[in-house]
Amino acid sequence: MSDSVTPTSAVVNEALTVMGGGLVGSLLALYLARHGHTVDVFERREDLRRSGLVEARSINLALSDRGWRALEGVGIADAVRQVAIPMHQRIMHDARGQLTAQPYGQHNQAIYSVSRAGLNRTLLDLVEQEPRVRLHFNQQCRRVDLRTRTLELLHTETGVTQTRTYEHLFGTDGAFSAVRGAMQKTERFNFSQHYLDYGYKELTIEAGPAGEWRLEKHALHIWPRGQYMMIALPNLDGSFNCTLFFPYEGPASFSSLQTPEQVRAFFQEVFADALPLMPNLEQEFFENPTSSLVTIRCYPWSMADEVVLLGDASHAIVPFYGQGMNAGFEDCTILDSLLQEFGPDWGAVFREFQQRRKPNTDAMADLAVYNFEEMRDRVADPRFLLQKKIESKISAQYPDQWLPLYSQVTFSHRPYAEALANGQRQEQIMQRLMPLIQTEADYDRPEVQQQVAAEMASR
Amino acid sequence: MSDSVTPTSAVVNEALTVMGGGLVGSLLALYLARHGHTVDVFERREDLRRSGLVEARSINLALSDRGWRALEGVGIADAVRQVAIPMHQRIMHDARGQLTAQPYGQHNQAIYSVSRAGLNRTLLDLVEQEPRVRLHFNQQCRRVDLRTRTLELLHTETGVTQTRTYEHLFGTDGAFSAVRGAMQKTERFNFSQHYLDYGYKELTIEAGPAGEWRLEKHALHIWPRGQYMMIALPNLDGSFNCTLFFPYEGPASFSSLQTPEQVRAFFQEVFADALPLMPNLEQEFFENPTSSLVTIRCYPWSMADEVVLLGDASHAIVPFYGQGMNAGFEDCTILDSLLQEFGPDWGAVFREFQQRRKPNTDAMADLAVYNFEEMRDRVADPRFLLQKKIESKISAQYPDQWLPLYSQVTFSHRPYAEALANGQRQEQIMQRLMPLIQTEADYDRPEVQQQVAAEMASR
């Protein structure tokens, strides 16, 4: 933690308050400091670099282009790349252990598996080297008084409560944001929290005896089973972090698996190839929490020049498109560009930020829910995989006119709402095209080529 | 208030707690008492029969068939009919004061204008005559502890706080329900509050010198102006209760009218025929509050056999279909039928209630928002009015196959979700039919009759 604060030059540089020192809060603090401001960051948890505690939310993250750009903007992408594992493809495991691969993009494109805790530690280390930022841990936000611009902070170790005022408050305190909680009590605040009927549970595929990966390392593994699925992302130590996405209730659900024997029998039946790699399955299944899957939407995101929400605090989404962190990081990129455009006219910056960003995070929330169905069900369908191959061929033939939706979201910086609209138009074209196509080779048949050319001409 | 409580027979009759003594809470208490239960009703406000205070929410209500059925179920429809004014038609006022009428249904059908405060008083009088119900006023619910089934109630006059336990709690405490507030903090509770960008303000068209109505009494008057509108409902004393539905921001909005002169000039321009009937316009405009328009959705509505939400607490809607109160009253009808089906198996009753009712109140919420556009804009369009006349003719010719959507919602007991789905199918038919029709007389042309017959045959 830095105690030496660079004195601010009176006119431009201001003292800013960031509530929440998670991924988005840490990155935001770096951006704000680079604009010359002094930043105080308050984080509820203890310093996770000192605690050695396992993160409650250990789900692995998939960094993609939007996230990388945001990290590059403060010059820390290289440091993060050291602890990231590229995944070039999805590998689907069917019930008999047969594998099918689907590349995520072009040859050199990948999403990157990183550990949430590891990435957060890296960011905190970088923040600490920034003299304009002060980190305060163990600070639980008990109350935000928007009228008097006052925070009530409880130190969770000493039990001491302090009251602090703020000029400009950035709420990066996550899906259950205390800052948003205060805004929810103001007039005409739109808000929704929607839960899926599914929960998730973290499990582990262990490393081999020599620390080797026992599944293909450079892939995101999926066991799609229609109404549920398991996925696995590689860790640096040779293990895979697995997540079971599973209904809370029903014939195959968390409530139907009550004993270690039932869990083992169920995995033997539906995840047979993974089971031998999961020696601690039963213990983990009953010791690890079952976590819920929520989508949060709200509006407005800001109050005058006083408060703004970023990341999960304003737009928490379900994890199925791997865009939650990337969207939060992109918030930082966009806020940065608005600071360049407007300078420290915070009222203008916050207003533009919410107006430009809200339609895009709404679109991303819809895409994320949609992708759950794709991952747990459609990726097991040969016709779906054929369609993806055909789309890839169209994209190669008409690179200026066609980018698959997944690539627009993951490997481009196109606003999410545009990507969604564009993806829907492309899907309609595929619905007209696919009845003509039975195999990959059919793509080269003259009548198919003719139809594709006609569709491209009318776009 | 009744202090003599009929002793309950131990097995079947239970002590029930109703939070909220508004329209739905009062009616619900009557229903529960008729099933033999003892009921305590806690109401935050003072007894409005004694206060003489003007209700904050004085917006007139339109009672229709669903509401009447619920009142009939406890034998109080006749008492309410004494203070209700039937409205057989909409009358649209254009900018030059020209009037156009549109009947709501068949000859003898009407919706009924009642005052919220008057109806609430009538219900409270009837509740008081029911020995099994105890009414408690000035009781502000400060806390609901769902785990210990405990309520903390502050007496707003004495300042005394009491703690009470409950066995079965009915939350009828409105759009900003304290009972729902406690449920919102439980795991996986879906919730949304969505505000329109419009507010509303109550205004008055005064009675004539002899207490006469200065507009057609048996009508709901609308001044549709595209992006906004005013409506007026008749009162018993010869006045009309007007409501201006108006954007908060923009060129014609609450924020654009800042002085009495601006208000008068605006009304002179757009509501010229009403202005002379509104002598206190400027005073009312600046003294009466601007109220917001919210849609509330949530799920689940119940917790085991312990808590259930009814009325606005679980499904507050915007007022444009005149169904808010009717839907809340229908909740009581449906709960009553489930009590007949299941007896006091509260777990089964609450579970069935929420499962059967939720899709219907969701549909009604959508219909209510949709109808705002119809009222403020489409009713001023001659083609729209022609379409309604043609629909009325189809309904007369094919009475078993066609009921206009408005009639399904207002003059039937068909579940709202069915009405919405059915209305959408009918709208598609009208879209195919209307291009053939330029005048009312066209309906009798052979090719139109043929097409109508074909559509009916394929339904």
Side-chain angles (χ1 to χ4, degrees):
Chain A
M1 191 183 311
S2 166
D3 290 316
S4 66
V5 176
T6 308
T8 59
S9 67
V11 183
V12 179
N13 302 338
E14 300 189 63
L16 308 176
T17 304
V18 173
M19 183 63 67
L23 296 171
V24 175
S26 314
L27 183 63
L28 176 67
L30 287 170
Y31 269 102
L32 295 173
R34 304 290 159 95
H35 282 275
H37 305 293
T38 311
V39 186
D40 282 286
V41 180
F42 297 95
E43 167 56 40
R44 183 175 48 79
R45 293 162 299 182
E46 63 187 322
D47 187 342
L48 53 80
R49 296 165 303 171
R50 268 145 226 175
S51 66
L53 274 179
V54 175
E55 280 280 82
R57 298 172 63 193
S58 60
I59 191 167
N60 274 32
L61 300 165
L63 249 176
S64 55
D65 285 28
R66 294 169 205 261
W68 286 117
R69 176 190 271 188
L71 295 174
E72 282 157 9
V74 285
I76 60 177
D78 288 344
V80 174
R81 224 179 301 273
Q82 305 301 317
V83 292
I85 301 174
M87 302 180 287
H88 299 283
Q89 54 185 345
R90 288 171 171 164
I91 293 182
M92 276 67 79
H93 297 236
D94 78 10
R96 292 168 305 150
Q98 302 265 33
L99 306 186
T100 312
Q102 183 199 354
Y104 274 122
Q106 299 304 314
H107 177 63
N108 56 348
Q109 288 178 319
I111 59 178
Y112 289 77
S113 176
V114 292
S115 115
R116 168 184 287 270
L119 181 54
N120 208 344
R121 283 192 193 96
T122 305
L123 280 166
L124 290 173
D125 285 342
L126 293 160
V127 167
E128 210 159 54
Q129 293 161 27
E130 172 57 68
R132 288 198 185 82
V133 183
R134 277 183 299 208
L135 286 167
H136 310 265
F137 291 100
N138 303 300
Q139 296 285 348
Q140 186 183 348
C141 180
R142 300 297 297 264
R143 214 165 76 89
V144 180
D145 188 326
L146 299 169
R147 201 177 44 77
T148 59
R149 302 197 197 182
T150 308
L151 303 174
E152 207 177 283
L153 295 159
L154 169 71
H155 195 292
T156 53
E157 283 190 344
T158 65
V160 174
T161 298
Q162 62 163 322
T163 302
R164 291 181 62 116
T165 57
Y166 62 84
E167 286 298 307
H168 311 290
L169 174 64
F170 298 78
T172 52
D173 49 348
F176 300 97
S177 167
V179 178
R180 189 192 66 229
M183 291 172 71
Q184 275 172 243
K185 292 180 189 124
T186 61
E187 261 287 282
R188 291 199 284 141
F189 187 80
N190 292 324
F191 172 72
S192 78
Q193 58 185 41
H194 185 81
Y195 289 86
L196 295 186
D197 294 332
Y198 289 77
Y200 69 88
K201 193 177 286 281
E202 304 281 335
L203 302 166
T204 310
I205 285 180
E206 300 291 348
E212 76 275 18
W213 289 269
R214 296 170 71 188
L215 301 173
E216 165 57 39
K217 174 186 176 186
H218 293 290
L220 188 153
H221 295 266
I222 311 182
W223 289 257
R225 294 294 181 267
Q227 287 307 302
Y228 54 93
M229 70 173 175
M230 185 166 73
I231 67 171
L233 280 79
N235 295 318
L236 291 170
D237 66 359
S239 66
F240 285 82
N241 197 323
C242 300
T243 313
L244 173 66
F245 295 96
F246 208 38
Y248 277 100
E249 306 290 338
S253 70
F254 285 116
S255 76
S256 78
L257 299 183
Q258 292 295 332
T259 68
E261 294 71 29
Q262 287 171 337
V263 170
R264 172 158 291 270
F266 180 75
F267 271 67
Q268 182 60 56
E269 187 189 330
V270 301
F271 303 128
D273 65 334
L275 182 60
L277 314 178
M278 305 174 83
N280 300 316
L281 170 66
E282 293 95 326
Q283 190 186 347
E284 287 187 324
F285 194 91
F286 291 104
E287 283 183 2
N288 291 353
T290 303
S291 305
S292 59
L293 295 160
V294 71
T295 301
I296 302 266
R297 296 175 203 252
C298 66
Y299 204 78
W301 290 356
S302 71
M303 266 186 60
D305 64 348
E306 299 165 21
V307 185
V308 68
L309 303 173
L310 297 96
D312 284 359
S314 46
H315 53 75
I317 61 178
V318 295
F320 305 108
Y321 226 113
Q323 285 294 311
M325 172 186 58
N326 288 290
F329 282 3
E330 194 175 50
D331 284 356
C332 297
T333 306
I334 288 168
L335 198 81
D336 176 55
S337 72
L338 291 170
L339 281 170
Q340 290 172 20
E341 189 175 341
F342 292 97
D345 176 352
W346 298 106
V349 169
F350 294 175
R351 190 182 59 243
E352 284 295 311
F353 176 71
Q354 68 178 11
Q355 284 176 4
R356 291 189 197 178
R357 191 66 176 142
K358 168 74 172 163
N360 293 315
T361 56
D362 277 348
M364 191 57 244
D366 292 338
L367 283 164
V369 170
Y370 166 85
N371 219 43
F372 184 27
E373 211 183 311
E374 175 163 325
M375 288 178 80
R376 71 172 200 253
D377 196 0
R378 283 193 291 272
V379 293
D381 175 359
R383 285 292 294 174
F384 173 84
L385 295 175
L386 177 60
Q387 178 177 325
K388 293 294 149 189
K389 281 183 187 151
I390 300 298
E391 278 196 66
S392 181
K393 285 173 182 287
I394 300 175
S395 187
Q397 192 178 355
Y398 298 92
D400 297 337
Q401 289 180 265
W402 192 285
L403 192 59
L405 174 58
Y406 186 88
S407 297
Q408 293 180 54
V409 170
T410 308
F411 304 123
S412 92
H413 302 286
R414 186 169 296 180
Y416 289 128
E418 271 180 39
L420 173 57
N422 201 19
Q424 285 169 336
R425 284 191 299 271
Q426 290 180 176
E427 178 61 27
Q428 285 162 4
I429 293 175
M430 293 311 293
Q431 302 245 328
R432 291 191 288 268
L433 212 55
M434 286 303 290
L436 310 178
I437 295 174
Q438 300 310 319
T439 70
E440 235 182 302
D442 284 352
Y443 183 72
D444 297 318
R445 283 169 46 209
E447 62 269 37
V448 173
Q449 280 293 311
Q450 205 166 27
Q451 168 104 15
V452 172
E455 296 279 6
M456 292 302 118
S458 71
R459 288 200 90 191
Chain B
M1 190 184 311
S2 166
D3 291 322
S4 64
V5 175
T6 309
T8 59
S9 66
V11 183
V12 180
N13 302 338
E14 299 189 63
L16 308 177
T17 304
V18 173
M19 184 62 67
L23 295 171
V24 175
S26 312
L27 183 63
L28 176 67
L30 287 171
Y31 269 102
L32 295 173
R34 303 290 157 96
H35 281 276
H37 304 295
T38 311
V39 186
D40 283 285
V41 180
F42 296 95
E43 167 57 39
R44 183 175 48 80
R45 293 161 300 183
E46 62 186 324
D47 186 344
L48 54 81
R49 296 165 303 172
R50 266 144 227 176
S51 65
L53 274 179
V54 175
E55 281 281 80
R57 299 173 63 194
S58 59
I59 189 167
N60 274 31
L61 301 166
L63 248 176
S64 54
D65 285 27
R66 293 169 205 262
W68 286 116
R69 176 191 270 189
L71 295 174
E72 282 157 9
V74 284
I76 61 176
D78 288 343
V80 174
R81 223 179 301 272
Q82 306 301 317
V83 293
I85 300 175
M87 302 180 287
H88 299 283
Q89 54 184 346
R90 288 171 171 165
I91 294 181
M92 275 67 79
H93 297 236
D94 78 10
R96 292 169 303 151
Q98 302 265 32
L99 307 187
T100 313
Q102 183 199 354
Y104 273 122
Q106 299 304 314
H107 176 61
N108 56 348
Q109 288 179 318
I111 59 177
Y112 290 78
S113 175
V114 292
S115 117
R116 169 185 286 271
L119 181 55
N120 208 345
R121 283 192 192 97
T122 305
L123 279 166
L124 290 174
D125 286 341
L126 293 161
V127 167
E128 210 160 54
Q129 292 161 27
E130 171 56 67
R132 289 198 185 83
V133 184
R134 278 183 299 208
L135 287 167
H136 310 264
F137 291 100
N138 303 301
Q139 296 285 348
Q140 187 182 348
C141 180
R142 300 297 298 263
R143 213 165 76 89
V144 180
D145 188 326
L146 298 169
R147 202 177 44 76
T148 59
R149 302 198 196 183
T150 307
L151 304 173
E152 208 177 281
L153 296 158
L154 169 71
H155 195 291
T156 53
E157 283 190 343
T158 65
V160 175
T161 297
Q162 62 163 320
T163 302
R164 291 181 60 117
T165 57
Y166 62 83
E167 287 297 307
H168 311 289
L169 175 64
F170 298 78
T172 52
D173 49 348
F176 301 97
S177 167
V179 178
R180 189 191 66 229
M183 291 172 71
Q184 276 171 242
K185 292 179 190 124
T186 61
E187 262 287 283
R188 291 198 285 139
F189 187 81
N190 292 324
F191 172 72
S192 79
Q193 58 185 40
H194 185 80
Y195 289 86
L196 296 185
D197 293 332
Y198 288 78
Y200 69 87
K201 193 177 285 283
E202 303 280 334
L203 301 166
T204 310
I205 286 181
E206 300 291 348
E212 76 275 19
W213 289 269
R214 295 170 73 188
L215 302 173
E216 164 58 38
K217 174 186 176 187
H218 292 290
L220 189 154
H221 295 266
I222 310 183
W223 289 258
R225 294 296 180 267
Q227 287 307 302
Y228 54 91
M229 70 172 174
M230 185 167 71
I231 65 170
L233 280 78
N235 294 318
L236 291 170
D237 67 0
S239 66
F240 285 81
N241 197 321
C242 301
T243 312
L244 173 67
F245 295 97
F246 209 39
Y248 278 100
E249 306 290 338
S253 70
F254 284 115
S255 75
S256 77
L257 300 183
Q258 291 294 333
T259 67
E261 294 71 30
Q262 288 171 336
V263 170
R264 172 159 291 272
F266 180 74
F267 271 66
Q268 181 61 55
E269 187 188 332
V270 300
F271 303 129
D273 64 334
L275 181 60
L277 314 178
M278 305 174 82
N280 300 316
L281 170 66
E282 293 94 326
Q283 190 185 347
E284 287 188 324
F285 193 91
F286 292 104
E287 283 184 1
N288 292 353
T290 303
S291 305
S292 58
L293 294 160
V294 71
T295 301
I296 303 265
R297 296 174 202 252
C298 66
Y299 205 77
W301 291 355
S302 70
M303 267 186 58
D305 64 348
E306 299 166 22
V307 186
V308 69
L309 303 172
L310 296 96
D312 284 359
S314 46
H315 52 76
I317 62 179
V318 294
F320 305 108
Y321 227 112
Q323 285 295 311
M325 171 186 59
N326 289 289
F329 281 4
E330 195 175 51
D331 284 355
C332 297
T333 306
I334 287 167
L335 199 81
D336 175 55
S337 71
L338 291 169
L339 281 171
Q340 289 171 23
E341 191 175 339
F342 292 96
D345 177 350
W346 299 104
V349 169
F350 294 175
R351 190 181 60 241
E352 284 295 310
F353 176 71
Q354 68 178 9
Q355 285 177 2
R356 292 190 196 178
R357 192 68 177 141
K358 168 74 170 163
N360 293 314
T361 56
D362 276 350
M364 192 57 245
D366 291 338
L367 284 164
V369 170
Y370 166 86
N371 218 45
F372 183 28
E373 210 182 310
E374 174 163 325
M375 288 179 79
R376 70 171 200 255
D377 196 0
R378 283 193 292 273
V379 293
D381 175 358
R383 285 291 295 173
F384 173 84
L385 295 175
L386 177 61
Q387 178 177 324
K388 293 292 149 189
K389 281 182 188 153
I390 300 298
E391 277 195 66
S392 181
K393 285 173 183 287
I394 300 175
S395 188
Q397 192 178 356
Y398 299 92
D400 297 337
Q401 287 180 267
W402 192 287
L403 192 59
L405 175 58
Y406 186 87
S407 297
Q408 294 180 54
V409 170
T410 308
F411 304 123
S412 92
H413 303 286
R414 187 170 294 179
Y416 288 127
E418 272 180 38
L420 172 57
N422 200 20
Q424 286 170 336
R425 284 192 299 271
Q426 289 180 178
E427 178 60 28
Q428 285 164 3
I429 294 175
M430 294 311 293
Q431 303 245 328
R432 291 191 289 268
L433 212 54
M434 287 303 290
L436 309 179
I437 294 174
Q438 300 310 319
T439 69
E440 234 181 304
D442 284 351
Y443 183 71
D444 298 319
R445 284 169 47 209
E447 63 269 39
V448 173
Q449 280 293 313
Q450 206 167 27
Q451 168 105 14
V452 172
E455 296 280 8
M456 292 302 117
S458 70
R459 287 200 90 192

